[in-house]
């Protein structure tokens, strides 16, 4: 699949997700995650940071995408929007860790987007395996908010929890998922 086709799919899925299609949002997140992960890994490597730092950056990027999805102009390509969010989150992550952020070039982003489809299939398998290790309530919250694209309020109503409890559960679940992923890749 070409980079242009992949980005067209992502844009189509994001448009549908913004119109309320939870399955499209799940496809979008599963589709972009491998490319965000590859970009973060390369950037961490260039900055001399451990590879496992990349997963924290990816989680930050996915959360930023979720929170800012309304800001994407659907008439414009989605790739540059994703690249800008990724670049900003990488820089923020490096600053928090006291590292000098590497330059994240458009060429690197383009190269990452051109990565093979095998990574996407691997990522879908990894996500399912990691989610299965969460407690049932944590898994439900992560699926509702991070995969289906529901707001904390919507997830709270659906799961009969307070909005604050959803946010705390999501935060703890994402932290646990990052730790599980680091443990597996160590």
């Amino acid at each position: 699949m070409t980079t242009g086709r992949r980005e067209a799919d992502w844009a189509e899925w994001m448009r549908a997700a913004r119109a309320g299609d939870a399955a499209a949002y799940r496809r979008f997140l599963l589709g972009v995650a491998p490319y965000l992960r590859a970009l973060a890994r390369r950037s961490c490597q260039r900055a001399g940071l451990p590879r496992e730092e990349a997963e924290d950056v990816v989680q930050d990027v996915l959360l930023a995408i979720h929170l800012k999805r309304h800001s994407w102009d659907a008439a414009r390509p989605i790739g540059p929007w994703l690249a800008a969010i990724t670049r900003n989150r990488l820089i923020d992550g490096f600053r928090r860790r006291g590292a000098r952020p590497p330059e994240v070039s458009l060429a690197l982003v383009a190269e990452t987007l051109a990565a093979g489809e095998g990574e996407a299939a691997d990522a879908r398998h990894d996500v399912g395996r990691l989610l299965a290790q969460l407690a049932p309530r944590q898994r439900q919250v992560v699926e509702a908010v991070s995969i289906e694209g529901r707001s904390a309020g919507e997830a709270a109503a659906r799961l009969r929890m307070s909005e604050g409890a959803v946010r705390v559960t999501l935060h703890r679940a994402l932290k646990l998922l990052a730790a599980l992923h680091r443990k597996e890749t160590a």
Side-chain angles (χ1 to χ4, degrees):
M1 180 182 292
T2 67
T3 300
R5 179 69 244 158
R6 202 170 295 131
E7 284 191 36
D9 286 346
W10 294 345
E12 178 183 328
W13 296 333
M14 180 60 89
R15 283 185 198 97
R18 288 181 18 178
D21 185 340
Y25 193 53
R26 178 181 166 87
R27 283 192 304 274
F28 171 80
L29 292 173
L30 290 173
V32 300
Y35 307 102
L36 299 175
R37 190 166 287 110
L39 179 60
R41 284 180 180 159
R42 288 181 187 155
S43 295
C44 285
Q45 181 180 18
R46 288 183 10 197
L49 294 173
R51 182 179 174 163
E52 51 274 3
E53 295 287 335
E55 193 58 33
D56 290 340
V57 172
V58 171
Q59 294 304 317
D60 285 346
V61 171
L62 290 172
L63 183 58
I65 288 169
H66 177 69
L67 296 173
K68 297 176 185 284
R69 66 184 186 264
H70 67 280
S71 72
W72 173 58
D73 179 353
R76 301 184 61 122
I78 200 165
W81 180 79
L82 290 170
I85 291 174
T86 302
R87 180 181 174 278
N88 292 337
R89 290 300 169 174
L90 279 165
I91 290 170
D92 290 347
F94 291 126
R95 285 183 182 145
R96 278 194 307 271
R97 290 164 184 82
R100 183 177 181 276
E103 292 298 317
V104 180
S105 69
L106 284 178
L108 178 59
V109 173
E111 178 185 320
T112 303
L113 291 174
E117 281 299 304
E119 288 182 16
D122 290 345
R124 283 189 292 274
H125 179 328
D126 289 347
V127 168
R129 189 174 29 67
L130 287 171
L131 285 174
Q133 295 180 59
L134 294 176
R137 180 58 84 182
Q138 287 179 320
R139 186 174 49 255
Q140 291 170 334
V141 169
V142 169
E143 287 173 345
V145 176
S146 298
I147 296 175
E148 297 170 10
R150 297 179 190 278
S151 69
E154 292 168 335
R158 180 172 163 238
L159 298 171
R160 296 186 179 141
M161 298 172 67
S162 72
E163 195 169 327
V166 166
R167 288 193 173 126
V168 168
T169 302
L170 178 64
H171 174 76
R172 290 178 180 165
L174 292 177
K175 188 174 179 178
L176 178 58
L177 285 171
L180 290 169
H181 181 73
R182 277 193 296 274
K183 182 179 174 185
E184 287 182 2
T185 58

